[in-house]
Amino acid sequence: MITAVQSLDHTPRHAISEVAAVSGLTAHTLRWYERIGLLDPVDRSHSGQRRYCDADLSRLAFLGKLRLTGMSVADMLRYVELARAGDQTMEARRELLVAHREEVRQKIADLHATLAVLDYKIDIYSGKKHSA
Amino acid sequence: MITAVQSLDHTPRHAISEVAAVSGLTAHTLRWYERIGLLDPVDRSHSGQRRYCDADLSRLAFLGKLRLTGMSVADMLRYVELARAGDQTMEARRELLVAHREEVRQKIADLHATLAVLDYKIDIYSGKKHSA
DNA sequence: GGCTTGCTTGGAGTGCACTCCAACTCAGTA
DNA sequence: TACTGAGTTGGAGTGCACTCCAAGCAAGCC
């Protein structure tokens, strides 16, 4: 889950390989997310290597969840840009999340329907002789 | 849902536009599915136009469900080819479906987890002042 | 007959989300 | 100092699942 937002450490200290390991994204994808603006420019070490802070990890975890549910990168970008624009976009962000929540609920319903069909088919394969 | 498999009408009578309407797939996609072998060659009218039978519709409905749950076209093809190969592949087909059912269950669990995160965020936007 | 609508084809094109490449730098160990 | 391994870049490439295109044919209607 997500930890309390206001207590996040902004000390830059996680190397890209480390972040790749915990986020499930590849280093390639992390750089790409930053390039397209999903992540703010990440802090660098004196030699230019990325050092992610806990706030980055937290945003990444949230984006990862959105991504898992099938939100497009374009929509994620829209959300992030709203967040960057400041407090006056809070209502818009809320609406975006509410709309997405509806989609997720719908998707869950669809999956349950499919599950029923799969159960039915598997029963046929397990017990009887008819197939399609 | 699916109707009893053995009672399906094989009279070819549905035009492609009709099938597109009921299946939710476009005519383009229907032709493409046939071309790659997801559908057996569809019957034709005397002038060469496709005429789908109820068995085609039923298979399409099933494939549509699989597709909805994120099964790749390649895996769907694998299933269809097993079905074409005859009764001795029934166990393999069953295994394929069981494995996919597990994936669907996992996906549902993931979606529920995301739903919780969304609820949490939306609560923040609705009530308090903190954001991320 | 002329027009519209719906269908046909193979092959090319599209959009998304990565994913890889070549050439390079830098840090750490032997 | 040499080597190894992890990191850097922009731009090109990949794989998937469509999606469209051009050119043409057939049927139905005025």
Side-chain angles (χ1 to χ4, degrees):
Chain A
M1 193 66 62
I2 243 164
T3 54
V5 174
Q6 54 273 51
S7 71
L8 285 175
D9 195 336
H10 282 257
T11 322
R13 50 199 162 113
H14 308 289
I16 196 166
S17 57
E18 199 180 329
V19 179
V22 306
S23 70
L25 300 164
T26 68
H28 285 308
T29 302
L30 287 170
R31 292 191 200 100
W32 180 66
Y33 273 16
E34 184 180 341
R35 188 155 59 183
I36 65 174
L38 262 187
L39 252 45
D40 296 323
V42 174
D43 285 310
R44 303 302 178 112
S45 72
H46 71 100
S47 62
Q49 299 191 192
R50 285 172 181 79
R51 291 293 176 262
Y52 296 79
C53 67
D54 288 352
D56 293 327
L57 291 184
S58 159
R59 163 165 290 185
L60 234 18
F62 182 55
L63 292 178
K65 289 268 182 230
L66 294 183
R67 201 63 205 81
L68 252 189
T69 58
M71 183 184 274
S72 70
V73 169
D75 279 352
M76 282 162 42
L77 197 48
R78 212 157 291 141
Y79 176 81
V80 165
E81 278 166 359
L82 284 173
R84 258 199 283 272
D87 277 0
Q88 76 274 17
T89 69
M90 293 209 341
E91 181 53 23
R93 274 180 274 163
R94 203 186 72 87
E95 279 167 16
L96 200 154
L97 293 186
V98 167
H100 186 59
R101 181 169 62 181
E102 243 357 272
E103 280 174 39
V104 172
R105 285 182 177 152
Q106 183 57 55
K107 200 164 291 189
I108 289 174
D110 288 349
L111 289 179
H112 275 297
T114 309
L115 220 40
V117 175
L118 286 174
D119 285 341
Y120 173 84
K121 280 269 185 187
I122 290 169
D123 278 355
I124 292 179
Y125 281 125
S126 298
K128 304 164 198 174
K129 283 253 145 197
H130 324 293
S131 74
Chain B
M1 195 68 62
I2 243 164
T3 53
V5 174
Q6 54 274 50
S7 72
L8 285 173
D9 194 336
H10 282 257
T11 322
R13 50 199 162 111
H14 308 289
I16 197 166
S17 57
E18 200 181 327
V19 179
V22 307
S23 70
L25 300 164
T26 68
H28 285 308
T29 302
L30 287 170
R31 292 190 201 101
W32 181 67
Y33 273 15
E34 185 180 342
R35 188 156 57 183
I36 65 174
L38 262 187
L39 251 46
D40 296 324
V42 174
D43 284 311
R44 302 301 179 114
S45 72
H46 70 99
S47 62
Q49 298 191 191
R50 286 171 181 80
R51 292 293 177 262
Y52 295 80
C53 67
D54 288 352
D56 293 327
L57 290 185
S58 159
R59 162 165 289 184
L60 235 17
F62 181 55
L63 292 178
K65 289 269 182 228
L66 294 183
R67 200 64 204 81
L68 253 188
T69 58
M71 184 184 273
S72 70
V73 169
D75 280 352
M76 283 162 42
L77 197 49
R78 212 157 291 140
Y79 176 81
V80 165
E81 277 166 359
L82 284 173
R84 258 199 283 272
D87 277 359
Q88 76 276 18
T89 68
M90 293 207 344
E91 182 53 23
R93 275 179 274 162
R94 204 187 72 87
E95 279 167 17
L96 200 153
L97 294 186
V98 167
H100 187 59
R101 181 169 62 180
E102 246 353 273
E103 280 175 39
V104 172
R105 285 182 177 151
Q106 183 57 54
K107 200 165 291 191
I108 289 174
D110 289 349
L111 288 179
H112 275 297
T114 310
L115 221 40
V117 175
L118 285 175
D119 286 341
Y120 173 84
K121 279 271 186 185
I122 289 168
D123 277 355
I124 292 178
Y125 281 127
S126 298
K128 306 166 199 173
K129 284 254 145 195
H130 323 292
S131 75

